[in-house]
Amino acid sequence: MVPERWDAAAFKARVDEVLREFVSAEADQLAAIDPELGSVAGQLESVVAEGKRLRAAFCYWGWRAVGQPDSDAMVRAAASMELVHAAAVVHDDLIDDSPLRHGRPTVHLALRSAVRGGGHVGHAARSLAMLVGDLLMSLAGQLFATSGLPAAYLSRARPLWGALARELIAGECLEILHTAGAPDTTASLKVVRYKTAKYTVEQPLLIGGVLAGAGESLRAGYSAYGLPLGEAFQLRDDLLGLFGDPQATGKESSDDLRGHRPTALLAETWNRADGAERKRLRAILGRPDPDGRLLHEARELMRRLKAPDRVETMISQRIDEALSALDDLPLPQPAATALHALAHSATHRQY
């Protein structure tokens, strides 16, 4: 049981246990179909083995903030948010052709060793990774539906699951459609909102709240807190992606530049660059393997134009907006304390 004082580590351990047991059983059933599926089943387990479990925490406190007590069934329902995230990670790494996640090869690279044959190995491994992501999304719904919460509660949240999936896919599509296009801050922030902010904070909170019977006013407050906080989370991720320590983030620091992704950081750099600086930036963006010299040059240009400072300001503004909305909500003290702590851990981090 979670005490009234928010213990993030204890909650994470509960979610980790739920995910480990549930996904292990599903992986065993998959591998039992045919020994050839062992590597795929292994990746299913590997991709959910690590994580901050923020999405589960927001869902859980969306429930508790309505006045509901701690519940093992609710922890299982909240853990399903982490399977949504795992599915999104696999698909996102595949779309972006990212080589590392948590310091290990991404699924589409790890599965290359499972494929026999010549030139089609890369394509086959990518196809397997896509299917791993699809299965994880399916398992998210299964874990939620079998969480042990009353059926009447679960049915209240069904429309939100539809919105979560639709908005997440919309964000991924918008990122693809804007990739390699003219950098634009407004378009980048829309990608941030739909690709990450909503399914990271707002939707888990709303799902937890609706499960608990939250009224319209409280749900509106959840959105007023969750949307800006989710945007701040992703803006921090963008900064860490280029300026963070790869040993801490577990990701390649060149991903966003190599992929010419439509980040707010790039857009703010572009907005402040002169003609010569834009020309040089074009020469760096989209290179298949930018070396250390080019990465250093891009970082120095961004620093000189104060683009990271501008993104830091965006983050601070959104944190302030989220916390102001939170302080306006009539929440039980444990929930208010936990949601304040989660806002800090989501946005003041090194990975």
Side-chain angles (χ1 to χ4, degrees):
M1 303 290 282
V2 171
E4 289 305 288
R5 182 181 62 81
W6 172 232
D7 186 337
F11 179 79
K12 181 181 183 304
R14 292 175 77 187
V15 173
D16 285 345
E17 182 179 5
V18 168
L19 293 173
R20 184 167 52 250
E21 291 181 357
F22 178 76
V23 177
S24 176
E26 291 294 332
D28 287 347
Q29 291 186 65
L30 180 65
I33 294 172
D34 192 293
E36 292 272 6
L37 296 169
S39 296
V40 177
Q43 285 302 307
L44 200 67
E45 293 185 271
S46 178
V47 78
V48 300
E50 295 186 49
K52 294 178 277 292
R53 311 312 187 202
L54 288 173
R55 293 158 185 86
F58 283 118
C59 188
Y60 174 84
W61 284 105
W63 162 274
R64 291 293 307 277
V66 184
Q68 293 281 9
D70 177 67
S71 158
D72 287 338
M74 183 59 214
V75 172
R76 286 178 60 82
S80 69
M81 300 292 103
E82 298 299 328
L83 294 180
V84 172
H85 176 53
V89 161
V90 174
H91 286 150
D92 197 44
D93 287 343
L94 183 60
I95 292 166
D96 294 337
D97 201 23
S98 297
L100 292 175
R101 176 73 63 165
H102 298 301
R104 298 193 301 269
T106 45
V107 176
H108 63 279
L109 292 183
L111 285 172
R112 290 173 70 95
S113 61
V115 179
R116 293 185 296 271
H120 80 296
V121 167
H123 175 76
R126 294 175 69 85
S127 298
L128 289 174
M130 178 185 69
L131 295 169
V132 168
D134 291 347
L135 181 54
L136 284 164
M137 185 63 86
S138 174
L139 292 178
Q142 183 179 330
L143 178 57
F144 185 80
T146 61
S147 62
L149 290 174
Y153 288 22
L154 296 173
S155 67
R156 291 198 295 247
R158 191 172 296 124
L160 289 177
W161 269 87
L164 183 153
R166 179 174 59 251
E167 291 171 350
L168 173 55
I169 296 301
E172 287 282 9
C173 290
L174 285 172
E175 182 177 61
I176 292 169
L177 292 168
H178 287 295
T179 289
D184 178 86
T185 300
T186 299
S188 295
L189 290 174
K190 192 165 191 176
V191 170
V192 162
R193 172 166 288 203
Y194 283 92
K195 181 188 171 187
T196 303
K198 281 178 163 286
Y199 98 91
T200 296
V201 186
E202 184 200 24
Q203 291 289 5
L205 270 172
L206 288 172
I207 287 172
V210 166
L211 286 171
E216 185 176 339
S217 176
L218 184 55
R219 295 198 304 271
Y222 281 178
S223 292
Y225 162 81
L227 273 175
L229 183 59
E231 290 176 1
F233 172 89
Q234 181 56 44
L235 290 169
R236 173 65 62 208
D237 222 45
D238 290 346
L239 283 176
L240 290 172
L242 193 56
F243 293 96
D245 179 1
Q247 293 297 318
T249 64
K251 305 174 189 177
E252 287 278 359
S253 59
S254 63
D255 277 1
D256 285 351
L257 288 178
R258 178 170 53 84
H260 195 162
R261 295 177 190 160
T263 64
L265 180 60
L266 174 59
E268 288 299 302
T269 303
W270 189 263
N271 290 343
R272 288 158 175 74
D274 61 25
E277 290 164 335
R278 288 184 176 186
K279 182 178 179 180
R280 187 57 193 148
L281 199 54
R282 284 194 201 97
I284 297 172
L285 291 170
R287 291 178 67 99
D289 188 21
D291 59 24
R293 179 183 60 81
L294 290 175
L295 286 174
H296 177 75
E297 184 179 349
R299 290 190 188 102
E300 287 306 302
L301 174 61
M302 289 176 170
R303 288 191 180 104
R304 187 166 69 250
L305 297 175
K306 300 190 180 304
D309 294 343
R310 174 58 187 147
V311 174
E312 286 286 2
T313 299
M314 292 179 184
I315 292 170
S316 296
Q317 290 171 340
R318 284 160 175 77
I319 294 171
D320 289 346
E321 182 182 347
L323 293 179
S324 176
L326 179 63
D327 290 340
D328 287 341
L329 294 175
L331 302 182
Q333 190 56 49
T337 300
L339 291 171
H340 268 276
L342 284 167
H344 184 273
S345 60
T347 55
H348 296 81
R349 56 193 173 90
Q350 299 302 315
Y351 66 95

